[in-house]
Amino acid sequence: MLKFILRRILETIPVLLCVAAMTFFMCRLAPGGPFDEDKQVTAEVRELLNKQFNLDQPLHKQFIQYITHLPTLQSFKYPNRTVGEIISQKFPVSAKLGFFAMCIALGLGVLFGVIASLRPNTYIDYIPSSLAMIGICLPTFVMGPLLMLVFSLQLGWFPATGWGGFSGDQFFASDMVLPSVTLGFFYAAYISRLTRGGMLDILTQDYIRTAKAKGASGLRVILKHSLRGGLLPVISFMGPAVAGLIAGSFVIETIFAIPGLGQDFVKSAFNRDYTLVLGVVMFYATLIILLNLIVDILQVTLNPKLKFD
Amino acid sequence: MINRILTGGALVLLAGVLAGCGPGNKPVDQGTPNKVLNITVGTEPEDIDPHVVTGVPEHHIIVALTEGLVAEDPVDLHPVPGTAETWEVSEDGTVYTFHLRGNAKWTNGDPVTADDFVQSFKRILTPALASKYSYMLFVMKGAEDYSLGKLKDFSQVGARAIDERTLEITLNSPTPYFLSLLNHYTWFPVHIATVEKHGGMVKRGSGWTKPENFVSNGAFKLKSWKLGRKIVVEKNPDYWDAATTKLDEIHFYPIELETTQENAFRGGQLHNIYNLHIDKIATYKKEHPDELRIKPHLASYFYRFNTTRKPCDDVRVRKALAMSLDRGSITKNVTKGEQMPALFFTPPGVAGYTARARIEENVEKARQLLAEAGYPDGKGFPSLELLYNTTEGHRIIAEAIQQMWKKNLNINITLQNQEWKVYLDRQREMDYQISRAGWTGDYPDPNTFLDMWTSWSQQNQTGWARDDYDGLIRKAAATQDVEARLELFQQAEEILMDELPVLPIYIYTRVYALNPAVKNWHANVLDHHPWKHLDLEVKADE
């Protein structure tokens, strides 16, 4: 297993380099630059700015400087912050939002999926399955404002925007509920469908009949015998899903005014903030590779048919 | 059995989530009696270094923290004493002598001196800092040459500390709007020792603007800055005019999305909506007229013509396009924010100036001009593309104009939207035929709207240049007599509206909402609201 992990880590190095090079050069090929603004600066000032931010250097030199000094580089848009500072301040917010959403997604998704699979094609199946369908069909930018309208503006239960309460650094605050639910509900829908499918597969297997025949209780059959196999499709979905939950919450973060990294992921590209774009992309690339590795390890552990090579 | 357990579990879970979260304490309800203003000014500020930033959100925060030589009257923004207690102007209007007050202090206790201002002016003009807004100081003698590196010796520049509390500024020519210009943050002082300590005078983003390092001289001081969450400023008790300051704290939230601003406002989290979404204007007019504000703004919405490319190189085509619009219908049915249809370029009533030039909206004449240009009834009209940056608001206006030109002139134009930076790049490179644009005045004077069409202006971007126009703007800059100066602007704008390198569409309004508890908030064309005068008042019946 150690050998497997080491090999995978070694494999990531060329992948990351490729990602870095592509991001860097694609950014530079895009028209417009970090200093283009409504009020255009003179050619002289533009030249001075290019010099101050080392944009007058040859591209390959800049690239080498970027990948060797990435976390300490200054953001173009927010010059009093470094790339590392921005990521370290904003990622924990996105990660926490992603974590809460994942808890909701897994809790509701697996629960509804299992319930649906127990009595397939009856109303016990139809109700959770149609709920799941709604969850998949309703995009987060509809779901978010809808929840906000009902639960904060009509009922006044939760704040409409913000993260971490009035002070902004409470560990848990009521303003975290709506965004987590919005994001979680979307993934819960997928997970419940995957769970239902996986469980239906398993529940018709011979060994389940054996388990039932030897007198194991219904709950035991589900938790001990079926879930382990039934959740395999969910596990393989989790790798990209967790990455998506953490990185792809741009919409949620914008709608609920949450200071997470998902916003920078998108906005830094619009701002031509060359350093921050590269920083955020590299950060997420590393994260996704890491999560995929974890999922692979989990799968081998859960599925005895798989081996580490 | 299992089903029941599981369903029950789900219900318990749901109930738990709901019960755990009662109604929160609303920041507005708490803030109003405690004199804490919760406000959004749109986006996250890039920085709060007055010599580096260029944006409007930055302006709102910087003016709370820092004070220049003069300040603004809260009602009409006329210059009132700030750090300078009094000042004198020389007879020819080119030398200003400011007397700084003895009790003006930095937040670390240091006195604010004349040399602080001189060093600050030097900093923003230093070429190595590459300040994007340094041109705001170019009215000062030698400033432009110094910023271009042509002049190496700063003592040749017209800023001199006569003694610790006397500052003399020499201008190139009498500049009637000079005192208003001083309220632009580029003229604000920075605490030199702090800047020096954190990376030096010409390093941008050196970290001196972080809350733990920041030293300022305004009515408020920086308490905290949490990236993407909020900036908190608190009352500065050592400020010379602290008795005037009513608020204890201002919390600036970066909320970009208009609908989110509105939800936060409705949900009691904000005292304002910075921009009210166009779809909400009618609702607010009907249901919350006490909160809705629609005020004229010192800004023009217009299209640029590329006068170096067919067909807009022909002034008859430009005129035909300008005359065949129904601007009133655009502001009434499309933008809906009580904007003023613009038949000239400079917003009216700026420093006593309202242009007498007018574009005539006359479809018959427009058709005739188009025929004279060689396109009778639009026949043979070359392809024409309208470039705009991707925003819903710009799209609907462009579509309305597209239809008007189709109906009135029988010409087809195509619309092309581009992402912001691409759009700016194409405009700068003159790679367009017609391009959407907007311009917000930097200071309340017609000069800020008219000098951008001179041949040397970076903002021109139309390829249009006229010697007589350049001459009038140059002459106005050297004219001290107010009436004569405005007359020169009148003549310049007549040329501009006759040649039409630009197509004025409307004069902006600011459409926003404000909690009625906010007092001393006066609408003005620059949308400046000096924070120290603002107050929060609990309604008597509550």
Side-chain angles (χ1 to χ4, degrees), chain B residues 72-138:
Chain B
E72 289 174 320
D73 178 83
V75 180
D76 64 3
L77 306 181
H78 75 263
V80 294
T83 306
E85 204 167 6
T86 57
W87 54 85
E88 294 113 38
V89 190
S90 69
E91 204 134 291
D92 65 351
T94 57
V95 182
Y96 283 71
T97 312
F98 294 93
H99 304 281
L100 273 49
R101 46 182 93 240
N103 55 352
K105 281 197 208 109
W106 294 99
T107 44
N108 69 348
D110 291 353
V112 182
T113 66
D115 194 51
D116 287 336
F117 280 94
V118 175
Q119 294 303 321
S120 298
F121 300 160
K122 183 178 173 182
R123 176 171 182 253
I124 188 173
L125 291 171
T126 304
L129 184 72
S131 171
K132 293 180 208 167
Y133 248 11
S134 55
Y135 70 83
M136 295 294 286
L137 278 78
F138 287 0

Side-chain angles (χ1 to χ4, degrees), chain A residues 37 39 74 85 166 168, chain B residues 132 204 210 229-230 442:
Chain A
E37 274 167 36
K39 299 192 174 172
Q74 222 174 0
E85 250 177 293
F166 185 60
Chain B
K132 293 180 208 167
R204 61 174 64 211
K210 290 191 177 163
R229 287 169 208 242
K230 64 177 164 183
D442 288 320

Side-chain angles (χ1 to χ4, degrees), chain A residues 30-50 52-53 74 76-82 85-87 89-90 92-93 104 107-108 111-112 114-115 118-119 124 145 148-149 151-153 155-170 172 174-175 177 181 217-220 222 251 254-260 263-264 267 269-272, chain B residues 1-3 5-7 9-10 13-14 17-18 20-27 30 36 38 44-48 52 54-55 126-135 147-148 202-211 225-230 249 251 253-257 259-264 266-267 269 304 419-425 427-428 436 438-442 448 458-459 461:
Chain A
F35 311 125
D36 275 319
E37 274 167 36
D38 225 354
K39 299 192 174 172
Q40 290 290 2
V41 298
T42 58
E44 290 89 359
V45 171
R46 184 179 294 273
E47 204 174 297
L48 288 165
L49 281 166
N50 284 340
Q52 194 175 50
F53 283 91
Q74 222 174 0
F76 281 83
K77 177 82 175 166
Y78 307 106
N80 69 342
R81 314 271 170 171
T82 62
E85 250 177 293
I86 293 176
I87 294 178
Q89 281 189 32
K90 291 190 155 185
V93 175
I104 292 169
L108 289 181
L111 189 74
F112 282 1
V114 170
I115 293 174
L118 292 180
R119 300 277 183 280
I124 293 173
M148 211 191 271
L149 191 71
F151 292 101
S152 36
L153 300 187
L155 298 171
W157 289 358
F158 307 108
T161 63
W163 190 258
F166 185 60
S167 67
D169 38 34
Q170 268 165 265
F172 183 80
S174 53
D175 54 21
V177 175
V181 170
S217 75
L219 202 60
R220 192 179 158 85
I222 292 169
V251 175
T254 309
I255 293 172
F256 289 97
I258 295 168
Q263 291 205 38
D264 291 284
K267 278 197 227 150
F270 284 134
N271 292 333
R272 303 288 189 274
Chain B
M1 179 64 196
I2 294 161
N3 300 346
I5 291 173
L6 292 176
T7 331
L13 199 81
L14 199 68
V17 169
L18 292 179
C21 324
N25 293 322
K26 291 184 176 166
Q30 278 193 333
V36 176
N38 292 286
E44 171 85 15
E46 298 180 2
D47 197 348
I48 47 170
V52 167
T54 53
T126 304
L129 184 72
S131 171
K132 293 180 208 167
Y133 248 11
S134 55
Y135 70 83
S147 83
L148 292 172
V202 295
K203 185 162 170 8
R204 61 174 64 211
S206 60
W208 78 272
T209 51
K210 290 191 177 163
W225 181 354
K226 288 181 189 128
L227 201 59
R229 287 169 208 242
K230 64 177 164 183
E249 283 183 3
H251 296 224
Y253 293 83
I255 302 181
E256 249 173 82
L257 210 61
T259 47
T260 304
Q261 291 178 4
E262 205 241 335
N263 286 334
R266 290 258 72 82
Q269 291 182 287
R304 280 188 170 90
E419 178 245 329
W420 178 239
K421 293 277 185 179
V422 178
Y423 149 82
L424 288 174
D425 189 63
Q427 195 168 265
R428 182 164 56 85
R436 180 214 79 84
W439 182 259
T440 308
D442 288 320
T448 179
Q458 206 65 37
Q459 319 301 341
Q461 302 178 97

